Amino acid sequence: MLSQESLRQIDREIAKYPPGRRQSAIMSALRIAQVEKGWLPKEVIEFVADYLGMPPIAAYEVATFYNMYDLRPVGRHKITVCTNLPCALSGGVYAAEYLKKKLGIDFDETTPDGKFTLKEGECMGACGDAPVLLHNNHRMCGFMTTEKIDQLLAELERQ
Amino acid sequence: MSAHALILAGAGGERAWRLQDYAARGGYAALRRIIAGKTPPEAIIAELKTSGLRGRGGAGFPTGLKWSFMPYAFPGDKYLVCNSDEGEPGTFKDRDILRCNPHAVIEGMIIGAWVMGCTRGYNYIHGEIFEIYQRFEEALEEARAAGLLGRNILGSDFSFELFAHHGYGAYICGEETALLESLEGKKGQPRFKPPFPASYGLYGKPTTINNTETFASVPFILGMGGEAFLNLGKPNNGGTKIFSISGHVRHPGNYELNLGTPFPELLAMAGGMRAGRKLKAVIPGGSSAPVLPANIIMDCTLDFDAISKAGSMLGSGAVIVMDETTCMVRALERLSYFYHEESCGQCTPCREGTGWLYRVVRRIERGLGKPDDLDLLRSVAGNISGRTICALGDAAAGPVQSFIKHFADEFAYHIENKKCLVPPLVQEAGSQIYM
């Protein structure tokens, strides 16, 4: 179900917790699985639960509670824009509108070619760099003026 | 960053976060002295009490006192947890601490473990800052390689393991017991207190949780002495504090200042108001802190007691600045949406109440408000406050109550005239950056 590399990474996470506390690694394990698969299908969540020796329902609870897990397929590039108050005061809403126009999609939609998904995000803890967006959960981009958004999209388009 | 920078001292260069750079700035000297001299835990707690260090995560609880609650002689595992799950709108200091000075946090945690007899620690890092999580992992590796973490630290019989735990998007996990649940691999729903974490924490063992900045302050306090640290600030409000300033200012960012610095000084350091506009209101301590109008905040000094006296709270030191182009109804709508989205759903007053608050504020903003909507908002907010397991309910009610209190006219105008007092085009112009 998961690659040897992903399992190696998950094992490294498990080792951080005391013996008998493998469940503590569920958040990292789901993240690692999501990076490999692009999103988290039911079978993958169940596999991870089984790997950690926890009931599948407890793994679903985690997967549905934390909002960076994707329980439905997303585009190759998921872009999450913060529109919370500090960002909104410094162009966050404008950046989101610009992205919508440029990609031709609304929040929670994916472009027809499957390349981009747009999401509205809550505070990312980087309000001083507003407007802020997150690429595929792990790369944060700050001071996103329209020019920088253009550059980012062009870069991702080439990948 | 500022003339007083201790914690943000590594902000100067891209490599300044590394162990050798931290050591060159005097890092790990406090820890080496403690271990070599076998400093008794009580002496360190006394020093922290003298320093006036209060928790930097929002609640402002005295750190020395908190550390004294841990049952030192308790047999078996005890845990130390750093709360770097920074997700309160306006707050972005822990990210910068971990980016430019992660070893200050690590040293503070090792000292904490020494004082409280903890065997194992975790730093819970906010989900959205994966790159910072990776850096912290690297810093941990450096510390392990240098014999500062793990078994027999610096050749002594003291051992302490420290690991990083990565969150994945849940504001509620900044609440300490929700964070513990999350560390145990569950959804982050706060626990009922008591029992408090010092007696029943991670995996049911005694646990102490402090904020990133709190831990990072500890080596500096022990380096300069509690008295000197206290004197940087003012009585009961010792030391420096990092202020994250965002919104309508020219240079948003983190500024480390002595506690008790007048607010206008911080505003000036941030370059003043963007495009020279007029200050309207400030949320001084993260989105959960009550908003203060310009005339009140301009007279405040930035410390726990002064901000509290002015009717708000210093919280995490997140200062959200709003100028005259801000529609307060719209600003509140965005905050109310946040709390509605982030309520964990455990307590009915919060789960249902935050939805009510958001929907009523939204309808006022959209010109569909009813004459008794302000009373309705006050009533719903009042019915959430104090009726939930954790503070998120109060955090959701606080902005609503304070926005209505200080800007009642603007809300009334919205309801009567079905539009903003501030024209939409003016609002849009105000939110533009790089003018």
Side-chain angles (χ1 to χ4, degrees), chain B residues 6-8 56 92-94 96-97 100 213 216 240-245 253-257 259 266 316-319:
Chain B
L6 300 172
I7 296 164
L8 290 179
R56 302 303 198 219
F92 49 93
K93 66 191 177 61
D94 298 340
D96 262 7
I97 297 169
C100 70
E213 187 182 353
T240 62
K241 168 87 192 75
I242 299 172
F243 291 93
S244 309
I245 184 165
N254 284 312
Y255 298 89
E256 187 173 349
L257 301 175
L259 277 171
L266 172 65
S316 54
V319 180

Side-chain angles (χ1 to χ4, degrees), chain B residues 265-314:
Chain B
E265 274 186 40
L266 172 65
L267 189 58
M269 288 179 83
M273 300 300 294
R274 200 157 67 212
R277 293 198 185 90
K278 199 172 147 225
L279 179 68
K280 182 173 189 175
V282 169
I283 302 176
S287 61
S288 308
V291 66
L292 295 174
N295 62 328
I296 296 183
I297 187 72
M298 285 304 274
D299 285 338
C300 280
T301 56
L302 295 164
D303 55 84
F304 293 98
D305 296 339
I307 298 286
S308 164
K309 208 173 143 200
S312 186
M313 52 186 204
L314 189 73

Side-chain angles (χ1 to χ4, degrees), chain A residues 12-28 30-32 34-35 54 58-59 61-62 64-70 78 81-94 120-132 134 136-145 147-148, chain B residues 77 79 86-93 95 99 120 122 124 126-131 133 137 141 163-170 172-173 178 181-189 202-203 245-248 252-253 274 283 320-322 326 330-332 334-335 337-338 341-342 344 403 428 430-434:
Chain A
R12 201 180 147 265
E13 294 297 327
I14 293 170
K16 291 178 177 178
Y17 306 96
R21 302 291 182 183
R22 292 168 72 93
Q23 182 172 338
S24 282
I26 181 66
M27 292 181 71
S28 297
L30 289 175
R31 163 175 55 82
I32 292 160
Q34 178 166 292
V35 169
M54 61 195 279
E61 281 189 351
V62 170
T64 52
F65 189 85
Y66 300 91
N67 63 28
M68 287 163 70
Y69 297 117
D70 293 308
K78 182 173 85 165
V81 197
C82 179
T83 57
N84 210 308
L85 180 61
C87 272
L89 295 174
S90 294
V93 175
Y94 187 74
E120 184 172 29
E122 287 307 330
C123 188
M124 299 171 186
C127 322
D129 298 356
V132 177
L134 204 56
N136 283 350
N137 295 328
H138 292 169
R139 175 184 167 200
M140 189 177 282
C141 309
F143 305 104
M144 296 309 282
T145 54
E147 297 79 42
K148 287 187 77 179
Chain B
D77 286 332
Y79 293 98
E86 167 179 74
E88 166 120 342
T91 313
F92 49 93
K93 66 191 177 61
R95 168 174 175 250
R99 178 160 63 187
R120 204 178 252 269
Y122 293 95
Y124 190 108
H126 190 219
E128 283 83 348
I129 52 172
F130 184 69
E131 291 139 318
Y133 164 76
E137 289 264 53
E141 282 303 331
F163 303 95
H165 181 101
H166 186 221
Y168 228 55
I172 189 62
C173 291
E181 288 286 298
S182 183
L183 257 177
E184 292 183 3
K186 303 170 192 162
K187 51 184 178 173
Q189 291 191 321
L202 183 61
Y203 310 126
I245 184 165
S246 65
H248 290 143
R274 200 157 67 212
I283 302 176
I320 306 172
V321 176
M322 293 174 270
T326 313
R330 195 168 173 200
L332 180 61
R334 192 58 190 81
L335 290 180
Y337 175 75
F338 172 74
E341 167 75 23
E342 298 294 335
C344 81
F403 270 69
E428 202 177 307
S431 78
Q432 294 300 315
I433 48 172
Y434 309 119

Side-chain angles (χ1 to χ4, degrees), chain B residues 54-202:
Chain B
R54 293 170 63 171
R56 302 303 198 219
F61 193 82
T63 307
L65 190 59
K66 193 183 222 181
W67 285 17
S68 73
F69 292 155
M70 280 287 271
Y72 187 86
F74 183 91
D77 286 332
K78 289 192 288 295
Y79 293 98
L80 191 62
V81 175
C82 176
N83 185 346
S84 300
D85 191 31
E86 167 179 74
E88 166 120 342
T91 313
F92 49 93
K93 66 191 177 61
D94 298 340
R95 168 174 175 250
D96 262 7
I97 297 169
L98 295 173
R99 178 160 63 187
C100 70
N101 220 358
H103 283 286
V105 180
I106 296 173
E107 186 180 5
M109 289 192 76
I110 303 171
I111 294 170
W114 169 272
V115 169
M116 292 174 272
C118 299
T119 45
R120 204 178 252 269
Y122 293 95
N123 185 8
Y124 190 108
I125 298 175
H126 190 219
E128 283 83 348
I129 52 172
F130 184 69
E131 291 139 318
I132 305 292
Y133 164 76
Q134 287 178 309
R135 171 166 295 184
F136 193 75
E137 289 264 53
E138 239 183 289
L140 286 175
E141 282 303 331
E142 287 185 326
R144 288 182 192 122
L148 295 159
L149 277 176
R151 297 184 74 78
N152 303 110
I153 291 172
L154 297 171
S156 70
D157 55 4
F158 165 58
S159 300
F160 175 62
E161 303 277 0
L162 179 57
F163 303 95
H165 181 101
H166 186 221
Y168 228 55
Y171 167 67
I172 189 62
C173 291
E175 197 280 340
E176 60 179 13
T177 58
L179 185 150
L180 293 177
E181 288 286 298
S182 183
L183 257 177
E184 292 183 3
K186 303 170 192 162
K187 51 184 178 173
Q189 291 191 321
R191 298 174 182 171
F192 201 80
K193 293 189 269 192
F196 290 94
S199 54
Y200 189 94
L202 183 61

